[in-house]
């Protein structure tokens, strides 16, 4: 099985006494209409940290340096009825960056409190792994989707991350 390599970067900050994360309403491309993390496919020869920084800049106008990325887990997404959608997602958290998030052609960014994630507008599986990734839990799963390509059938643990 072949997965497309992707990188997701979650900007987090302390806000109103709690943790807030920058997510975006997806305006085009894969996941249109959903609230998603910032990120996308690695370009040829690009590392996951390089892709995370590039994607954050392209989608929000914010500059994140590679040294400010914290590994936050890995998720393999398995779409049995749409194998071309299979992804190997490297997750990162950034607590430092420069610039203010701005809307792009692809994403309308918005801050959400960890206790108020818009899970009903996100991919079905996000409620299982996203809070873990944001709080240092290092999720490491293969998520197998049902034939509806929306809901998760299984969360299979992967080998521990190096």
């Amino acid at each position: 099985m072949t997965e497309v390599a992707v990188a997701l970067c979650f900007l987090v900050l302390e806000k109103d006494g709690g943790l807030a994360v920058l997510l975006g309403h997806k305006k085009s491309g894969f996941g249109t209409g959903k609230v998603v993390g910032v990120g996308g496919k690695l370009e040829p020869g690009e590392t996951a940290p390089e892709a995370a920084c590039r994607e954050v800049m392209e989608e929000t106008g914010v500059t994140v340096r590679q040294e400010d990325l914290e590994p936050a887990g890995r998720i393999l997404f398995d779409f049995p009825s749409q194998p071309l959608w299979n992804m190997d997602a490297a997750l990162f958290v950034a607590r430092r960056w420069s610039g203010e998030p701005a809307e792009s052609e692809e994403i309308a960014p918005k801050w959400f409190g960890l206790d108020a994630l818009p899970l009903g507008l996100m991919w079905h599986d996000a409620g299982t792994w996203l809070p873990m990734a944001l709080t240092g839990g290092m999720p490491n799963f293969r998520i197998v989707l049902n034939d509806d390509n929306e809901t998760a059938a299984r969360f299979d643990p992967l080998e521990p991350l190096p």
Side-chain angles (χ1 to χ4, degrees), residues 115-128:
D115 59 349
L117 295 174
L119 297 176
L121 301 173
M122 300 180 78
W123 288 96
H124 177 258
D125 52 77
T128 299

Side-chain angles (χ1 to χ4, degrees), residues 44-62:
E46 193 174 42
T47 66
E50 289 169 341
C53 293
R54 176 185 51 78
E55 289 284 346
V56 170
M57 172 55 78
E58 290 175 1
E59 293 184 358
T60 70
V62 168

Side-chain angles (χ1 to χ4, degrees), residues 77-83 86 143-147 149 153-154:
F77 294 96
D78 187 353
F79 291 85
S81 66
Q82 285 288 351
N86 291 353
I143 299 174
V144 180
L145 283 289
N146 286 308
D147 287 341
N149 295 317
R154 294 191 329 264

Side-chain angles (χ1 to χ4, degrees), residues 84-149:
L84 293 177
W85 292 2
N86 291 353
M87 289 178 274
D88 182 348
L91 311 178
F92 299 95
V93 166
R95 298 175 198 284
R96 290 192 313 226
W97 59 86
S98 59
E100 289 296 320
E103 187 168 341
S104 66
E105 290 183 14
E106 194 170 348
I107 292 280
K110 183 177 176 184
W111 291 100
F112 293 94
L114 186 59
D115 59 349
L117 295 174
L119 297 176
L121 301 173
M122 300 180 78
W123 288 96
H124 177 258
D125 52 77
T128 299
W129 61 265
L130 182 57
M132 290 173 62
L134 298 176
T135 59
M138 296 292 287
N140 192 31
F141 298 110
R142 174 179 297 279
I143 299 174
V144 180
L145 283 289
N146 286 308
D147 287 341
D148 63 5
N149 295 317

